[in-house]
Amino acid sequence: MNKVNLLKDNISETFIKYLVPSVSATIMISFNYFVDTLCIGQKLGERGLAALNLSWPITTVLYSIGLMIGVGGGAMFSSYNVKNEKKQARSVYTSSLLIILVLSAVITYLGIRFLEPIVNVLGGGGDLKQGTTDYVKWVLIFTIAYMGECFYTTFIRNDNAPRLAMAGTLLAGTFNVVFDILFIFVFDWGMAGASLATSLAVTSTVLLGIASSFRKKSNMKISFAHLGIGKILTIMKVGMSTFLTEVDIGIVTFVFNIVLIRISGNFAASAVAIYGIVVNINTIVLAAVNGISNAMQPIVSANIGAGKLFRVKKFTDLAVKWAIGMSIIFVILIEWKAELLVKVFLEPNDIFLQQAAYALRLVGASYILGAINIVLVSYFQSIQAAKQAIFFSLIRTLILPIAVVIGCAFFLGIKGVWLTSVIVEATTIVILAFSYQYYHRMRLEQNLAQLNFYDIEEEVYTLEEIIEQLGADNLASYKEIMDYCSRRDELNEGIPMIIGLDDLTTRDNITYTMAKEDEKISFTLAMGSLIFADLFNQTREVDKSGKNTISLSMSALVEKFFHLKTNESSQTEIISFREAIPSRWKGDNNESEL
């Protein structure tokens, strides 16, 4: 596969190149849990499913830590790579790897030492205790593998090798199927066999990740330069929203389990088993959507680092559309064939089948809203707006679910538990949609502040529309243009004075200033400067016939936005500030003096 240029390649084609392997990777990660659930349900029935669901919070914590370091470090790693700062990128990889090694050692030691109290806290009492203990034990022994799988798939993708990342998860999924069948059905090792199968499967992905770092083109190299506690804290801060999103699933699963046990009485095992099926379907659906947001992350991170806000918004909007489309497919399938999905996991009695199908349909109604929320949270994370991303993650995946499930269970019983997802996602999307629009416009306005010779007082959306129509999205290039104009030889080189740049860069360092009442002229100059910066970058580009495109672009620009005046003594097109004002903004008797 040819190397993808994240800053210049076609938006749709670039996104698809990252989308397919990313979605495949995340679905395959969730597939590990799906296979465990399927095999355990078919072999051990309701009690096996209940024990697995009680164990799930531990696995979630480990995955969450791996994703936090992988996504946090990966965003910084990608940003440095696009700037060609290889030493910094390698330092980020090394720092991230050290965090993984230290945390996995600590968790394994403490987890095995306090295994029995952990199982009791999870709710693994009575008939569910042994199965829960067997599963959790092997997960904790292989802590580094669970954390390392998420870490390496994320870093490999940010290392511009999305297909290799997909291969890693495919490898783990394949091994998991083989080991589950072997350990559960052939050797009859029960819950311990299911846990060991998954643990060995994710280990294969870690080994592939280590091997991939030895590729010649890879920047995943060990470098102890630029290491420091500050960088480690930044990695964790940037990835914190992902950690909260994932670990919150474990915490919420734990709370839901406890609530169901309390309100179900003698039917607690069945209620938890039903919730286990619901969580499993949730995991697959949300994994697919997370794959979309993961595909968007390195692309948005690279473009935000280059100041290309227009492309950032286009990629984000495209990700939202894909998330909506994919979630609609899942919702239709669940609403249509809920009973069939339940039978995939076990052979239920009529009461269990009816209750499980009812739960799936209620929860499934939230998937479309949830898909949009996931992508928008990923947007804030990708642009390294860590505080906003963490806040939204906490609201959506922890605070609201816990508050709503407790309240709804109190008033509506088990039905209230299943309605929780719809209420949470609907509340969150209102907050996120407003914040996304506001924050994008705020970033655009901050970027426009580089044009420091004017005060913009127009509505920002007007500027955004102009930028979108003309493609002048690289606002950072304006500084380069101004530096060029300040150094150029004015006697031997000419630039059309369509925006008055000569007046801004005279030998005497005289700059153009304007009164507050001339803000409309100010808007015109800002617009012209943006367009000029974009057109100047085209001077090295040629069309298919080999001709330079700058003259055609300049002519179209002047014709559309300015009144031309030709200097008879030369071929240079010039225009005064007064003439640069569009006629619709001029008054008959109150033209500004310049």
Side-chain angles (χ1 to χ4, degrees):
M1 182 177 70
N2 295 330
K3 187 174 181 179
V4 180
N5 189 323
L6 300 180
L7 305 181
K8 294 183 179 181
D9 286 356
N10 178 271
I11 290 176
S12 297
E13 293 178 0
T14 301
F15 187 75
I16 293 297
K17 287 179 181 178
Y18 273 74
L19 177 69
V20 175
S22 180
V23 171
S24 301
T26 52
I27 288 180
M28 286 306 301
I29 289 177
S30 68
F31 188 67
N32 292 336
Y33 183 64
F34 172 80
V35 171
D36 280 348
T37 307
L38 182 65
C39 293
I40 289 171
Q42 292 293 335
K43 181 71 175 178
L44 304 175
E46 292 181 21
R47 290 182 180 178
L49 289 178
L52 177 63
N53 200 54
L54 293 176
S55 307
W56 179 238
I58 298 299
T59 306
T60 302
V61 169
L62 301 184
Y63 277 141
S64 301
I65 296 174
L67 281 172
M68 175 181 67
I69 309 304
V71 172
M76 296 174 62
F77 179 81
S78 178
S79 181
Y80 282 128
N81 270 336
V82 78
K83 297 175 184 177
N84 204 32
E85 298 180 16
K86 304 300 183 184
K87 291 183 178 179
Q88 287 285 2
R90 294 175 180 181
S91 175
V92 169
Y93 168 71
T94 304
S95 300
S96 302
L97 186 59
L98 289 175
I99 299 172
I100 290 289
L101 293 173
V102 172
L103 290 180
S104 62
V106 172
I107 292 172
T108 297
Y109 172 76
L110 294 178
I112 298 300
R113 184 178 178 84
F114 299 102
L115 180 60
E116 185 173 352
I118 290 174
V119 172
N120 291 333
V121 170
L122 292 172
D127 294 339
L128 302 177
K129 184 172 184 178
Q130 187 60 51
T132 307
T133 301
D134 289 343
Y135 199 92
V136 171
K137 177 182 176 181
W138 285 104
V139 170
L140 291 171
I141 291 174
F142 281 85
T143 291
I144 191 169
Y146 284 92
M147 292 168 58
E149 180 192 27
C150 296
F151 168 80
Y152 270 112
T153 53
T154 306
F155 253 91
I156 292 172
R157 188 167 53 250
N158 279 278
D159 199 29
N160 208 15
R163 288 188 177 180
L164 188 59
M166 180 179 67
T169 50
L170 287 173
L171 182 66
T174 302
F175 275 125
N176 195 41
V177 172
V178 174
F179 290 148
D180 265 328
I181 294 173
L182 189 64
F183 295 165
I184 296 176
F185 291 98
V186 178
F187 296 158
D188 198 19
W189 288 351
M191 295 297 293
S195 181
L196 181 60
T198 303
S199 301
L200 292 176
V202 296
T203 301
S204 67
T205 302
V206 175
L207 296 176
L208 179 65
I210 295 173
S212 71
S213 65
F214 291 99
R215 292 180 301 121
K216 185 176 181 180
K217 295 181 179 180
S218 173
N219 279 309
M220 293 164 50
K221 309 294 183 184
I222 300 298
S223 173
F224 294 101
H226 307 292
L227 290 181
I229 189 66
K231 181 164 291 183
I232 291 175
L233 293 176
T234 301
I235 291 170
M236 299 178 72
K237 179 181 177 181
V238 173
M240 185 59 67
S241 64
T242 296
F243 171 78
L244 292 175
T245 299
E246 296 298 325
V247 79
D248 290 353
I249 295 173
I251 296 173
V252 170
T253 300
F254 168 75
V255 173
F256 271 59
N257 286 337
I258 299 302
V259 169
L260 287 170
I261 290 172
R262 293 290 179 87
I263 67 177
S264 300
N266 295 331
F267 299 96
S270 295
V272 174
I274 291 174
Y275 183 54
I277 295 175
V278 171
V279 169
N280 198 280
I281 301 298
N282 280 355
T283 302
I284 295 174
V285 175
L286 298 182
V289 178
N290 276 322
I292 297 173
S293 65
N294 288 344
M296 180 189 77
Q297 180 265 313
I299 305 173
V300 169
S301 294
N303 281 274
I304 200 71
K308 291 181 172 287
L309 289 183
F310 174 70
R311 287 174 67 86
V312 167
K313 189 174 188 303
K314 283 294 185 182
F315 280 119
T316 305
D317 291 347
L318 191 59
V320 169
K321 292 176 182 177
W322 271 93
I324 292 174
M326 187 170 292
S327 59
I328 287 175
I329 295 174
F330 282 112
V331 170
I332 292 174
L333 176 63
I334 290 169
E335 298 298 328
W336 181 35
K337 293 292 184 181
E339 288 82 6
L340 179 61
L341 291 174
V342 174
K343 292 179 181 179
V344 168
F345 293 96
L346 75 170
E347 298 178 5
N349 57 48
D350 292 340
I351 296 177
F352 186 95
L353 177 62
Q354 182 181 1
Q355 292 177 343
Y358 177 74
L360 281 176
R361 288 191 172 100
L362 284 182
V363 175
S366 68
Y367 289 154
I368 298 174
L369 299 177
I372 300 173
N373 289 333
I374 288 173
V375 172
L376 293 183
V377 170
S378 181
Y379 161 80
F380 286 101
Q381 178 184 303
S382 299
I383 64 176
Q384 299 187 34
K387 292 182 180 179
Q388 290 83 353
I390 291 172
F391 171 75
F392 296 132
S393 295
L394 282 172
I395 290 293
R396 175 182 173 268
T397 60
L398 183 63
I399 297 174
L400 281 179
I402 291 177
V404 173
V405 72
I406 294 174
C408 287
F410 180 79
F411 290 105
L412 301 174
I414 292 182
K415 180 180 180 180
V417 175
W418 310 137
L419 282 173
T420 296
S421 295
V422 176
I423 298 172
V424 169
E425 300 295 1
T427 304
T428 306
I429 197 170
V430 174
I431 302 172
L432 266 175
F434 172 80
S435 301
Y436 167 66
Q437 293 295 334
Y438 170 79
Y439 196 78
H440 180 76
R441 290 183 180 181
M442 183 182 70
R443 287 297 296 262
L444 180 65
E445 191 170 350
Q446 289 174 347
N447 223 3
L448 286 171
Q450 296 178 70
L451 308 176
N452 53 17
F453 62 89
Y454 74 100
D455 294 317
I456 179 72
E457 295 186 10
E458 307 296 320
E459 291 293 332
V460 175
Y461 69 82
T462 304
L463 276 177
E464 192 172 8
E465 288 176 353
I466 293 174
I467 294 169
E468 181 172 350
Q469 291 174 16
L470 299 177
D473 60 345
N474 190 2
L475 307 184
S477 65
Y478 179 75
K479 290 183 178 179
E480 177 184 343
I481 306 305
M482 292 302 292
D483 289 341
Y484 166 76
C485 291
S486 66
R487 297 191 306 268
R488 70 183 181 85
D489 182 358
E490 297 178 8
L491 296 179
N492 300 318
E493 186 177 1
I495 296 179
M497 293 178 57
I498 58 172
I499 57 173
L501 277 180
D502 284 19
D503 294 79
L504 294 170
T505 58
T506 60
R507 293 188 184 88
D508 298 326
N509 293 322
I510 299 175
T511 58
Y512 176 77
T513 59
M514 63 177 61
K516 291 183 178 180
E517 57 269 19
D518 293 331
E519 65 270 9
K520 292 181 179 178
I521 306 174
S522 190
F523 175 82
T524 303
L525 292 175
M527 180 183 68
S529 298
L530 289 174
I531 300 166
F532 183 83
D534 184 67
L535 294 176
F536 180 78
N537 287 335
Q538 299 181 37
T539 55
R540 300 182 183 88
E541 299 178 6
V542 294
D543 58 21
K544 294 181 179 180
S545 64
K547 296 180 180 179
N548 192 291
T549 61
I550 187 64
S551 59
L552 296 176
S553 300
M554 280 291 188
S555 298
L557 165 70
V558 176
E559 181 179 345
K560 186 171 184 179
F561 290 99
F562 300 100
H563 301 281
L564 286 178
K565 180 180 179 180
T566 304
N567 187 341
E568 296 179 356
S569 62
S570 69
Q571 297 301 316
T572 304
E573 296 175 333
I574 62 173
I575 191 167
S576 68
F577 284 118
R578 178 186 300 280
E579 292 166 322
I581 309 172
S583 58
R584 64 181 181 276
W585 287 348
K586 290 184 178 182
D588 295 333
N589 301 316
N590 59 349
E591 292 185 12
S592 303
E593 293 298 326
L594 304 178

